[in-house]
Short mmCIF file of all heavy atoms in Angstrom, two decimals:
data_model
loop_
_atom_site.label_atom_id
_atom_site.label_comp_id
_atom_site.label_asym_id
_atom_site.label_seq_id
_atom_site.Cartn_x
_atom_site.Cartn_y
_atom_site.Cartn_z
N ARG A 940 -7.33 -5.88 -8.85
CA ARG A 940 -7.29 -7.32 -9.14
C ARG A 940 -7.68 -8.14 -7.91
O ARG A 940 -7.76 -9.43 -7.93
CB ARG A 940 -5.94 -7.76 -9.58
CG ARG A 940 -5.40 -7.06 -10.84
CD ARG A 940 -4.03 -7.57 -11.18
NE ARG A 940 -3.51 -6.93 -12.32
CZ ARG A 940 -2.36 -7.30 -12.96
NH1 ARG A 940 -1.62 -8.27 -12.39
NH2 ARG A 940 -1.94 -6.69 -14.03
N GLN A 941 -7.84 -7.52 -6.75
CA GLN A 941 -8.12 -8.14 -5.48
C GLN A 941 -6.98 -9.08 -5.08
O GLN A 941 -7.18 -10.13 -4.43
CB GLN A 941 -9.46 -8.89 -5.51
CG GLN A 941 -10.65 -7.96 -5.70
CD GLN A 941 -11.98 -8.70 -5.63
OE1 GLN A 941 -12.10 -9.87 -5.48
NE2 GLN A 941 -13.10 -7.91 -5.73
N ASP A 942 -5.76 -8.73 -5.49
CA ASP A 942 -4.59 -9.50 -5.14
C ASP A 942 -4.04 -8.97 -3.77
O ASP A 942 -2.96 -8.39 -3.71
CB ASP A 942 -3.53 -9.38 -6.21
CG ASP A 942 -2.33 -10.37 -5.96
OD1 ASP A 942 -2.38 -11.10 -5.05
OD2 ASP A 942 -1.43 -10.33 -6.82
N TYR A 943 -4.78 -9.20 -2.68
CA TYR A 943 -4.41 -8.70 -1.37
C TYR A 943 -3.21 -9.44 -0.83
O TYR A 943 -2.46 -8.87 -0.01
CB TYR A 943 -5.62 -8.80 -0.47
CG TYR A 943 -6.88 -8.24 -1.01
CD1 TYR A 943 -8.08 -8.98 -1.07
CD2 TYR A 943 -6.89 -6.98 -1.57
CE1 TYR A 943 -9.23 -8.46 -1.57
CE2 TYR A 943 -8.02 -6.43 -2.15
CZ TYR A 943 -9.27 -7.15 -2.15
OH TYR A 943 -10.40 -6.68 -2.67
N VAL A 944 -3.01 -10.71 -1.22
CA VAL A 944 -1.89 -11.49 -0.69
C VAL A 944 -0.59 -10.83 -1.15
O VAL A 944 0.39 -10.88 -0.39
CB VAL A 944 -2.01 -12.95 -1.20
CG1 VAL A 944 -0.79 -13.76 -0.65
CG2 VAL A 944 -3.28 -13.54 -0.77
N THR A 945 -0.48 -10.24 -2.32
CA THR A 945 0.64 -9.58 -2.80
C THR A 945 0.84 -8.24 -2.14
O THR A 945 1.94 -7.85 -1.73
CB THR A 945 0.62 -9.43 -4.30
OG1 THR A 945 0.64 -10.72 -4.88
CG2 THR A 945 1.89 -8.70 -4.83
N ALA A 946 -0.22 -7.43 -2.10
CA ALA A 946 -0.12 -6.06 -1.62
C ALA A 946 0.22 -5.99 -0.17
O ALA A 946 0.98 -5.14 0.23
CB ALA A 946 -1.43 -5.34 -1.95
N GLY A 947 -0.36 -6.86 0.67
CA GLY A 947 -0.26 -6.81 2.11
C GLY A 947 1.14 -6.77 2.72
O GLY A 947 1.52 -5.84 3.43
N PRO A 948 1.96 -7.80 2.40
CA PRO A 948 3.29 -7.83 3.06
C PRO A 948 4.19 -6.60 2.72
O PRO A 948 5.11 -6.32 3.50
CB PRO A 948 3.89 -9.14 2.35
CG PRO A 948 2.72 -9.95 2.08
CD PRO A 948 1.66 -9.00 1.62
N PHE A 949 3.94 -5.93 1.58
CA PHE A 949 4.77 -4.75 1.26
C PHE A 949 4.54 -3.62 2.27
O PHE A 949 5.43 -2.70 2.35
CB PHE A 949 4.44 -4.26 -0.15
CG PHE A 949 4.86 -5.23 -1.25
CD1 PHE A 949 4.20 -5.22 -2.46
CD2 PHE A 949 5.96 -6.07 -1.04
CE1 PHE A 949 4.61 -6.11 -3.50
CE2 PHE A 949 6.29 -7.00 -2.05
CZ PHE A 949 5.68 -6.95 -3.25
N LEU A 950 3.47 -3.64 3.05
CA LEU A 950 3.23 -2.61 4.03
C LEU A 950 4.33 -2.60 5.10
O LEU A 950 4.64 -1.60 5.65
CB LEU A 950 1.90 -2.83 4.74
CG LEU A 950 0.66 -2.52 3.95
CD1 LEU A 950 -0.61 -2.91 4.76
CD2 LEU A 950 0.59 -1.05 3.58
N ALA A 951 4.96 -3.77 5.27
CA ALA A 951 6.03 -3.85 6.28
C ALA A 951 7.19 -2.97 5.93
O ALA A 951 8.03 -2.63 6.75
CB ALA A 951 6.51 -5.29 6.44
N TYR A 952 7.33 -2.60 4.64
CA TYR A 952 8.46 -1.86 4.16
C TYR A 952 8.04 -0.39 3.78
O TYR A 952 8.95 0.31 3.21
CB TYR A 952 9.10 -2.54 2.97
CG TYR A 952 9.45 -4.01 3.24
CD1 TYR A 952 8.64 -5.01 2.69
CD2 TYR A 952 10.44 -4.39 4.12
CE1 TYR A 952 8.89 -6.35 2.92
CE2 TYR A 952 10.70 -5.72 4.37
CZ TYR A 952 9.91 -6.70 3.78
OH TYR A 952 10.19 -7.99 4.02
N ALA A 953 6.86 -0.02 4.01
CA ALA A 953 6.40 1.28 3.55
C ALA A 953 7.01 2.40 4.39
O ALA A 953 6.94 2.33 5.65
CB ALA A 953 4.89 1.35 3.65
N THR A 954 7.59 3.37 3.72
CA THR A 954 8.12 4.50 4.41
C THR A 954 7.04 5.49 4.81
O THR A 954 5.93 5.43 4.22
CB THR A 954 9.18 5.24 3.50
OG1 THR A 954 8.40 5.69 2.39
CG2 THR A 954 10.29 4.30 3.12
N PRO A 955 7.26 6.43 5.72
CA PRO A 955 6.20 7.38 6.02
C PRO A 955 5.69 8.16 4.76
O PRO A 955 4.55 8.46 4.66
CB PRO A 955 6.87 8.31 7.02
CG PRO A 955 7.92 7.44 7.70
CD PRO A 955 8.38 6.53 6.66
N GLU A 956 6.63 8.45 3.85
CA GLU A 956 6.29 9.20 2.63
C GLU A 956 5.30 8.35 1.82
O GLU A 956 4.31 8.86 1.29
CB GLU A 956 7.51 9.58 1.83
CG GLU A 956 7.19 10.33 0.59
CD GLU A 956 8.47 10.62 -0.23
OE1 GLU A 956 9.50 9.98 0.03
OE2 GLU A 956 8.32 11.43 -1.21
N LEU A 957 5.62 7.01 1.71
CA LEU A 957 4.80 6.19 0.90
C LEU A 957 3.46 5.93 1.57
O LEU A 957 2.41 5.94 0.89
CB LEU A 957 5.51 4.84 0.74
CG LEU A 957 4.77 3.81 -0.14
CD1 LEU A 957 4.43 4.40 -1.54
CD2 LEU A 957 5.58 2.57 -0.35
N ILE A 958 3.42 5.89 2.90
CA ILE A 958 2.15 5.75 3.60
C ILE A 958 1.22 6.92 3.34
O ILE A 958 0.07 6.77 3.16
CB ILE A 958 2.41 5.52 5.11
CG1 ILE A 958 3.08 4.19 5.38
CG2 ILE A 958 1.05 5.57 5.84
CD1 ILE A 958 3.52 4.04 6.84
N ARG A 959 1.83 8.11 3.37
CA ARG A 959 0.99 9.28 3.13
C ARG A 959 0.50 9.33 1.67
O ARG A 959 -0.63 9.68 1.39
CB ARG A 959 1.85 10.59 3.39
CG ARG A 959 2.07 10.85 4.79
CD ARG A 959 2.67 12.25 4.99
NE ARG A 959 4.02 12.34 4.45
CZ ARG A 959 5.13 12.07 5.14
NH1 ARG A 959 5.06 11.72 6.38
NH2 ARG A 959 6.30 12.19 4.56
N ALA A 960 1.33 8.82 0.73
CA ALA A 960 0.94 8.75 -0.67
C ALA A 960 -0.23 7.81 -0.89
O ALA A 960 -1.14 7.99 -1.64
CB ALA A 960 2.13 8.36 -1.54
N VAL A 961 -0.12 6.62 -0.12
CA VAL A 961 -1.19 5.65 -0.26
C VAL A 961 -2.51 6.19 0.32
O VAL A 961 -3.61 6.01 -0.29
CB VAL A 961 -0.82 4.31 0.57
CG1 VAL A 961 -2.01 3.45 0.75
CG2 VAL A 961 0.33 3.61 -0.20
N GLU A 962 -2.43 6.94 1.45
CA GLU A 962 -3.63 7.53 2.02
C GLU A 962 -4.32 8.45 1.04
O GLU A 962 -5.56 8.45 0.87
CB GLU A 962 -3.27 8.31 3.27
CG GLU A 962 -4.50 9.00 3.86
CD GLU A 962 -4.12 10.08 4.91
OE1 GLU A 962 -2.93 10.46 4.96
OE2 GLU A 962 -5.04 10.49 5.68
N GLN A 963 -3.54 9.21 0.29
CA GLN A 963 -4.12 10.18 -0.64
C GLN A 963 -4.47 9.61 -2.03
O GLN A 963 -5.31 10.05 -2.71
CB GLN A 963 -3.07 11.36 -0.84
CG GLN A 963 -2.77 12.10 0.49
CD GLN A 963 -1.65 13.08 0.37
OE1 GLN A 963 -1.13 13.27 -0.77
NE2 GLN A 963 -1.23 13.62 1.48
N GLY A 964 -3.65 8.53 -2.40
CA GLY A 964 -3.81 8.07 -3.79
C GLY A 964 -4.49 6.73 -3.99
O GLY A 964 -4.71 6.31 -5.09
N VAL A 965 -4.79 6.04 -2.88
CA VAL A 965 -5.45 4.73 -3.00
C VAL A 965 -6.79 4.80 -2.39
O VAL A 965 -6.98 4.80 -1.17
CB VAL A 965 -4.61 3.61 -2.28
CG1 VAL A 965 -5.34 2.29 -2.37
CG2 VAL A 965 -3.22 3.52 -2.88
N PRO A 966 -7.89 4.96 -3.15
CA PRO A 966 -9.20 5.19 -2.66
C PRO A 966 -9.91 3.96 -2.14
O PRO A 966 -11.00 4.07 -1.53
CB PRO A 966 -9.92 5.77 -3.83
CG PRO A 966 -9.27 5.20 -5.02
CD PRO A 966 -7.86 5.01 -4.66
N ASP A 967 -9.39 2.73 -2.41
CA ASP A 967 -10.13 1.53 -2.13
C ASP A 967 -10.02 1.15 -0.63
O ASP A 967 -9.02 0.47 -0.26
CB ASP A 967 -9.55 0.37 -3.05
CG ASP A 967 -10.36 -0.92 -2.89
OD1 ASP A 967 -11.23 -1.00 -2.02
OD2 ASP A 967 -10.05 -1.84 -3.71
#
């Protein structure tokens, strides 16, 4: 949806496990 304003701030709370999952599961 290109809703970057919503997605961005959540990075401040991303755990190492979630960061690894994003690397593997978010291709954009």
Side-chain angles (χ1 to χ4, degrees):
R940 300 178 181 189
Q941 299 185 355
D942 188 1
Y943 310 128
V944 180
T945 297
F949 291 153
L950 286 175
Y952 310 106
T954 62
E956 182 185 12
L957 183 54
I958 293 172
R959 287 192 293 271
V961 167
E962 179 194 14
Q963 297 168 8
V965 179
D967 186 352

